[in-house]
Amino acid sequence: MRKKIVAGNWKMNKTLEEANILATEVKGMVADEVKGNVEVILCVPFPYLAQLTKLIGTGTRISVAAQNCSQHESGAYTGEVSASMLTSVGVKSVILGHSERRQYFGEDGQLLAKKIDIAQKHGLTPIFCCGEPLEVRESNGHEDLVKRQVEEALFHLSAAQLQKLVIAYEPVWAIGTGKTASAQQAQDMHAVIRKHLASKYSQAVADEITILYGGSVTAANAKELFACPDVDGGLVGGASLKSRDFTEIVKSI
Ligand code: PGA
């Protein structure tokens, strides 16, 4: 049975003190909710990774992740953070290819393929994001674009490598806009992604991949989204910044 995940993407929010409070609250509130094949991941800013990894501790189904990493091993790349730095502070997973990275930092499929490789080389689980902007959805190009994003970044992987990552479908028009994809729209796209993976690998491999939905997930809409057969959880931005809202979303899985 594939894993179900609720991941909170804090983006560039919170001071260290606020981050400690939020992580402590989340840990206390969701600890009893994460059972069976459910995992909770907090994707926090780089400066807080070491401290929050310790705060969350081991022996729980809650973990701490980064929001990006460099495609390079090490060296003269001022301001960058490498995959081995992340593992050295106890981080287990990393968001790669978030639409904000694609849009504001020019990350494309070729670069993301390299980032996926280096993350996996160091034992990190990539949470690979894909999703279409509004104009592409409006011109009905969303299926083709998302399939291409998946191909460019992932199709060079072996089946064994593919099974060691998580995909997040995040329509750009739904991110931070309060405009969620309907459960039907989410299910349709998740099924398209899974079918595309099955066409390259096999149905059995595709059936093992956790595919999260992201884009204005709230306590009010999470249950309906998570009830879709191909939606295996969520990548939650705004609503992950409040422990109560995030806990309600975790309870919906
Ligand atoms: P949102 O962000 O929940 O605030 O829409 C989701 C994301 O960007 O991961």
Side-chain angles (χ1 to χ4, degrees):
M1 201 180 5
R2 56 182 180 255
K3 235 184 250 173
K4 290 190 182 284
I5 296 173
V6 179
N9 178 9
W10 292 6
K11 308 192 180 183
M12 197 173 74
N13 290 295
K14 305 284 177 192
T15 61
L16 177 60
E17 193 187 348
E18 291 163 348
N20 270 315
I21 293 170
L22 179 57
T24 306
E25 285 177 358
V26 168
K27 187 181 175 186
M29 289 164 89
V30 308
D32 294 338
E33 306 297 332
V34 280
K35 303 181 195 92
N37 64 336
V38 176
E39 274 185 30
V40 170
I41 303 177
L42 305 180
C43 308
V44 312
F46 287 135
Y48 313 148
L49 284 169
Q51 191 160 332
L52 295 191
T53 300
K54 284 206 189 81
L55 188 152
I56 296 295
T58 49
T60 135
R61 301 188 70 85
I62 311 171
S63 64
V64 174
Q67 301 170 11
N68 182 31
C69 77
S70 169
Q71 71 274 30
H72 301 292
E73 280 289 353
S74 65
Y77 301 103
T78 302
E80 289 290 273
V81 172
S82 72
S84 64
M85 289 175 186
L86 297 179
T87 50
S88 77
V89 297
V91 169
K92 301 275 188 289
S93 46
V94 57
I95 298 177
L96 292 174
H98 191 281
S99 67
E100 287 149 17
R101 301 288 324 166
R102 294 177 188 263
Q103 191 179 343
Y104 306 134
F105 303 95
E107 297 195 2
D108 61 12
Q110 216 184 350
L111 175 74
L112 292 170
K114 289 187 192 147
K115 291 194 175 198
I116 299 265
D117 287 347
I118 203 149
Q120 287 203 325
K121 181 180 165 203
H122 289 278
L124 291 166
T125 301
I127 302 170
F128 169 73
C129 301
C130 55
E132 80 286 356
L134 183 61
E135 62 277 13
V136 175
R137 166 69 64 163
E138 282 174 346
S139 63
N140 209 25
H142 49 294
E143 292 190 8
D144 285 343
L145 177 69
V146 170
K147 278 159 64 177
R148 196 162 69 241
Q149 288 174 335
V150 168
E151 278 166 34
E152 286 172 354
L154 306 183
F155 271 20
H156 66 289
L157 299 174
S158 68
Q161 288 168 326
L162 187 81
Q163 284 171 302
K164 289 197 197 112
L165 60 78
V166 171
I167 295 176
Y169 168 63
E170 298 202 306
V172 180
W173 46 272
I175 295 176
T177 58
K179 196 175 162 202
T180 322
S182 67
Q184 191 60 55
Q185 285 173 320
Q187 167 56 29
D188 288 350
M189 280 308 292
H190 284 226
V192 164
I193 294 167
R194 204 177 301 285
K195 198 167 156 218
H196 201 44
L197 296 175
S199 74
K200 164 79 178 169
Y201 297 90
S202 69
Q203 192 62 51
V205 168
D207 283 343
E208 285 302 311
I209 309 295
T210 296
I211 308 179
L212 310 179
Y213 168 78
S216 298
V217 175
T218 63
N221 60 32
K223 231 187 182 67
E224 196 189 350
L225 287 161
F226 297 168
C228 298
D230 284 292
V231 177
D232 308 312
L235 182 54
V236 185
S240 73
L241 297 173
K242 293 196 181 121
S243 54
R244 241 168 246 291
D245 291 359
F246 188 63
T247 304
E248 283 308 310
I249 294 170
V250 173
K251 283 185 187 169
S252 308
I253 193 94

